[in-house]
Amino acid sequence: MERPARVLPGAVGVLAGSCGAAGCAVTTWWAGILPPIAAQALPAYAGAGLGPAQWAAYAAAGALGLFGFGGLARGRTGRAWVLGLFGRYRGTVRRTGLMWVNPLVLRRRVDVRLRHWRSEPMPAADGDGVALRAVTLVVWRVRDTARATLGVEDHETYLRECVEAALARVPVEMPGGSRAAAEAAAETLTRLVAADAAAVGLEVFSVRPARVEYAPRWPPRCTAAGSPPWTPGTGRACSARSWTRWRTR
């Protein structure tokens, strides 16, 4: 389940990074290795040299600066981050504006805006079992970022499989048919796809056939050899009479 991640305001990261940079500058002055131009503007100091204390101060100030500036991030409207650390889910960030996020965590950006997906022609059938091909339009969005990110790899591929499974169970109507039947088919498709997609954190608002057409039919299997054209998949040529009969149907 999605849960909010712990983040800090961006000002905290800026302050920490600035303190780290200032600490490096002070340590450089302490060690006495400032450039000549900078040394003229500061009080005279011989410097203690680069000893263990100076190296430790450099390490602490550098780590503070890296953590401060390295964790700065900008949240955008309609986008979210899924955070993970050592393979474990650490929360989701939906905030906008400048913020500080632990730079050690892995960030995965997720689009949570409303989206439309148009399928390619898929096999379907009407109430009489006549083979059709339907192009569907799906309106959806990511609702649970944790499930959507960790549950499936490709959201559109998963939606395609859900829509194809629903079309195999729900008869669709050709354009110009009963409006009530078309609305009932769209509602049933939406309910089936929404139920399948909810398990992986996707919210489906509507599934509607955008274009429905008859499925292409191959010429009949020929038993008598004759002149071309060739019948696909039979290994034999159709007779001119069989081919003409099929073309005029």
Side-chain angles (χ1 to χ4, degrees):
M1 294 290 293
E2 178 182 325
R3 64 175 184 272
R6 296 179 180 178
V7 296
L8 298 176
V12 176
V14 174
L15 179 61
S18 301
C19 290
C24 290
V26 172
T27 304
T28 303
W29 174 80
W30 180 23
I33 55 175
L34 283 173
I37 298 178
Q40 295 176 0
L42 296 175
Y45 180 67
L50 287 175
Q54 286 74 21
W55 284 114
Y58 267 128
L64 181 61
L66 289 177
F67 264 77
F69 289 130
L72 292 177
R74 185 182 64 171
R76 298 181 179 180
T77 304
R79 305 292 176 88
W81 277 316
V82 176
L83 306 184
L85 182 62
F86 304 123
R88 296 187 60 184
Y89 172 64
R90 294 296 182 180
T92 299
V93 180
R94 289 180 178 262
R95 294 176 54 179
T96 58
L98 188 65
M99 69 190 78
W100 185 87
V101 183
N102 186 352
L104 297 180
V105 301
L106 177 65
R107 311 175 193 176
R108 301 176 65 176
R109 188 180 294 274
V110 181
D111 191 343
V112 295
R113 296 174 296 181
L114 192 67
R115 286 185 273 180
H116 294 74
W117 175 73
R118 189 183 184 92
S119 73
E120 70 277 3
M122 292 183 173
D126 62 6
D128 298 327
V130 178
L132 304 173
R133 299 179 68 184
V135 176
T136 58
L137 182 64
V138 183
V139 182
W140 66 286
R141 71 173 179 178
V142 174
R143 182 177 182 86
D144 190 323
T145 56
R147 292 183 178 180
T149 304
L150 306 176
V152 292
E153 183 176 357
D154 189 347
H155 300 149
E156 292 189 356
T157 300
Y158 184 81
L159 281 176
R160 180 183 296 108
E161 295 174 352
C162 293
V163 172
E164 188 172 2
L167 285 174
R169 291 178 285 174
V170 180
V172 297
E173 292 291 329
M174 286 291 296
S178 173
R179 183 178 181 84
E183 291 293 333
E187 292 178 2
T188 306
L189 287 173
T190 302
R191 185 176 67 256
L192 293 176
V193 176
D196 292 338
V200 295
L202 304 182
E203 185 177 10
V204 176
F205 295 94
S206 69
V207 180
R208 291 184 174 275
R211 188 178 76 244
V212 181
E213 57 188 14
Y214 287 107
R217 299 179 355 188
W218 291 106
R221 185 181 182 92
C222 297
T223 56
S227 58
W230 200 269
T231 304
T234 64
R236 288 172 295 181
C238 284
S239 65
R241 182 177 181 182
S242 298
W243 179 262
T244 304
R245 187 186 307 120
W246 178 81
R247 292 284 293 179
T248 55
R249 291 179 61 180

